[in-house]
């Protein structure tokens, strides 16, 4: 029995990568703090009806479920931390009436991976801003998302900008029934134009043509084309203006691409959506968007915007860094050198006690702590 095998799309993180992941996490959480975001740590498990939203079948399917032996109710292992943070804002922090900024970092679990290369245990880190519907809040989140990636050495960023509100405005104007709207949303997510044409066979113009045009509205010039071919609904005009505002805010910092057909957000997204890409990885490194009123099911509907990313994915495109070289001290000397070892470790040095007489390469040390006439000294250490 090969009991060392792990389930498919589940993997250990080994030393060099683990240090890189934890360093990136620490750097991002520190950046969140400087922007005013407070850290929260929701539980890995809670009642299933708190973890998923009505109508979000994709999130329901991704969530592991089990029975609670204590309450008899169904529990879920979280597949997304955003709903938990919305619960905290709506319920536990309900006394706060102004803007609330929260951040988090933790593992989530998926029943199936989002793609063949992705883990079923993403390490999700993100930031959420509650209480402001102003586009400035979205600009802050986009800025923080890009700054977080830049801060850990990811360069050459491309920002895709979309807006799910355009689809919702067109569906409402066409008076599409809710079941048809949900089915059409899924079809457009898959960019299945023939099926979309079938579903919209009886829809009123110009909304039918506008909905069918969405999959073709992508690229740097998509906004100008959209303003010409989409109905001049107030919601659409605002959406296009907000997308342009995001693009203007990142000018010179990231390559911008508009995509009005990008409906890959979950069912709770309501407005602006954005995703960051980088060379070397085909999928988005980070995604975010607006999800107003998501706290309604917890008793307080508030405007909200945020972003998140998977640190396990991110490490694939992080610059490779060699671990810091340490200082070797012979095991026989460790007792006598206790104070010197403590002082060096306090100063941030790596001190490795060598019990077996190993090489410099094996110990990852380029210096040695040795006793000389004038006390303990740090000298170059070569393999022997």
């Amino acid at each position: 029995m090969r009991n060392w095998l792990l389930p498919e799309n589940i993997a250990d993180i080994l030393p060099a990568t683990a240090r890189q992941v934890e360093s990136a996490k620490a750097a991002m959480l520190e950046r969140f703090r400087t922007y005013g975001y407070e850290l929260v740590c929701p539980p890995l498990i809670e009642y299933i009806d708190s973890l998923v939203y009505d109508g979000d079948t994709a999130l329901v399917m991704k969530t592991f479920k089990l029975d609670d032996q204590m309450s008899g109710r169904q529990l879920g292992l979280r597949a997304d931390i955003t709903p938990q943070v919305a619960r905290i804002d709506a319920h536990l922090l309900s006394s706060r009436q102004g803007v609330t900024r929260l951040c988090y970092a933790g593992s989530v679990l998926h029943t199936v991976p989002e793609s063949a290369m992705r883990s079923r245990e993403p390490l999700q880190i993100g930031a959420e801003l509650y209480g402001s519907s102003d586009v400035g809040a979205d600009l802050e989140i986009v800025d923080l998302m890009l700054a977080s990636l830049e801060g850990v050495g990811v360069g050459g960023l491309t920002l895709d900008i979309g807006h799910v509100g355009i689809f919702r405005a067109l569906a409402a104007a066409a008076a599409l029934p809710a079941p048809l709207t949900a089915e059409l949303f899924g079809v457009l997510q898959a960019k299945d134009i023939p099926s979309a044409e079938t579903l919209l066979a009886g829809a009123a113009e110009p909304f039918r043509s506008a909905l069918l045009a969405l999959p073709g509205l992508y690229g740097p010039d998509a906004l100008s084309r959209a303003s010409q071919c989409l109905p001049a609904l107030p919601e659409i005009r605002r959406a296009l203006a907000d997308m342009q505002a995001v693009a203007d805010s990142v000018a010179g910092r990231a390559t911008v691409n508009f995509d009005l057909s990008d409906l890959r957000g979950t069912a709770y997204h309501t407005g602006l959506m954005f995703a960051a890409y980088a060379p070397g990885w085909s999928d988005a490194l980070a995604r975010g968007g607006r999800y107003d009123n998501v706290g309604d099911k917890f008793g307080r509907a508030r405007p909200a915007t945020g972003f998140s990313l998977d640190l396990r994915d991110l490490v694939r495109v992080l610059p490779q860094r060699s671990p810091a070289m340490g200082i070797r001290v012979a095991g026989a000397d460790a007792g006598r050198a206790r104070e010197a070892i403590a002082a060096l470790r306090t100063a941030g040095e790596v001190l490795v006690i060598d019990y077996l007489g190993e090489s410099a390469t094996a110990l990852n040390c380029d210096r040695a702590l040795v006793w000389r006439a004038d006390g303990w000294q740090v000298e170059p250490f070569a393999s022997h």
Side-chain angles (χ1 to χ4, degrees), residues 166-167 169-171 173-174 184 188 200 204-217 226 229-233 236 260:
I166 294 175
F167 167 81
L170 289 171
L184 179 63
L188 290 179
L200 291 169
E205 293 290 1
F207 310 115
R208 176 183 181 277
S209 296
L211 285 163
L212 291 174
L214 290 182
L217 293 174
C229 71
L230 297 182
L233 299 173
I236 292 179
L260 276 68

Side-chain angles (χ1 to χ4, degrees), residues 313-337:
D313 269 350
L314 180 65
V315 77
R316 298 173 186 266
V317 298
L318 289 180
Q320 295 298 311
R321 293 188 177 92
S322 299
M325 300 295 283
I327 301 171
R328 177 256 190 193
V329 60
D333 292 337
R336 293 188 299 131

